[in-house]
Amino acid sequence: MSTIIRKATPEDVPSIYQLIVELAEYEKALHEVINTPEQLLKDGFGENPLFGTIIAEVKGEVVGMSLYYYRYSTWKGKRLYLEDLIIKEAFRGYGLGKRLLEATVEEARQTECSGLMWQVLDWNEPSIEFYKKFGAKLDEEWINCHFDL
């Protein structure tokens, strides 16, 4: 499968949003999505982008993405946080996730991050096994916390 892995452009926002919706449906949480294409455009491609996106494209169609942002650890310094790695269901199993993850790791290296972090749902066995193949450390010690505003 001939695939292009590249940084997203503002023209990709509708496709990025569709991938977000597909992921939310997969995780049975579509009702949680309050983001919009307009907000993605402003937040990711405005004057001070809050996130970056790497796209997987097959025959002109965006079929996957890695969405990331930078965070800071008091112990480790600058880190890259992988918010989501999404591949359209019909395109899973072709190595696109591997290529996107590798491109995201390279982005972390190129921007002098000390590491890459992300979360995975405990029931998502296919993703857990995928990350284990990369030698990822799965931390069961920390509990996620958040406030919704």
Side-chain angles (χ1 to χ4, degrees):
M1 178 179 315
S2 178
T3 307
I4 297 171
I5 303 295
R6 61 173 176 80
K7 292 271 186 107
T9 66
E11 292 74 27
D12 294 314
V13 167
S15 297
I16 291 168
Y17 184 75
Q18 283 309 119
L19 287 166
I20 291 167
V21 168
E22 185 172 323
L23 176 65
E25 288 172 340
Y26 174 75
E27 293 181 355
K28 298 175 178 44
L30 185 57
H31 61 282
E32 296 283 340
V33 177
I34 63 171
N35 208 350
T36 64
E38 294 78 18
Q39 194 67 46
L40 287 165
L41 184 62
K42 177 183 171 192
D43 293 341
F45 302 93
E47 190 173 316
N48 296 304
L50 298 174
F51 66 87
T53 311
I54 300 171
I55 295 292
E57 185 178 72
V58 175
K59 296 182 182 175
E61 177 186 359
V62 174
V63 299
M65 73 171 189
S66 161
L67 191 141
Y68 60 87
Y69 57 89
Y70 298 94
R71 64 179 294 273
Y72 197 83
S73 165
T74 54
W75 291 359
K76 306 283 187 181
K78 184 178 174 184
R79 313 280 279 174
L80 193 131
Y81 189 87
L82 173 59
E83 179 66 23
D84 281 310
L85 180 68
I86 308 167
I87 306 295
K88 285 186 175 186
E89 191 170 2
F91 291 87
R92 293 181 191 153
Y94 294 103
L96 299 176
K98 178 180 185 292
R99 291 188 58 199
L100 280 172
L101 186 57
E102 289 170 344
T104 307
V105 169
E106 186 57 28
E107 177 70 19
R109 284 191 179 113
Q110 292 295 317
T111 56
E112 300 179 351
C113 291
S114 65
L116 179 69
M117 305 175 72
W118 67 94
Q119 297 171 313
V120 61
L121 291 166
D122 61 356
W123 57 261
N124 192 342
E125 284 298 322
S127 292
I128 290 169
E129 292 307 312
F130 170 77
Y131 294 132
K132 283 181 179 178
K133 288 178 186 175
F134 277 87
K137 299 174 187 171
L138 283 88
D139 188 351
E140 296 178 19
E141 183 177 348
W142 291 87
I143 297 173
N144 294 313
C145 304
H146 72 272
F147 288 115
D148 287 332
L149 303 176

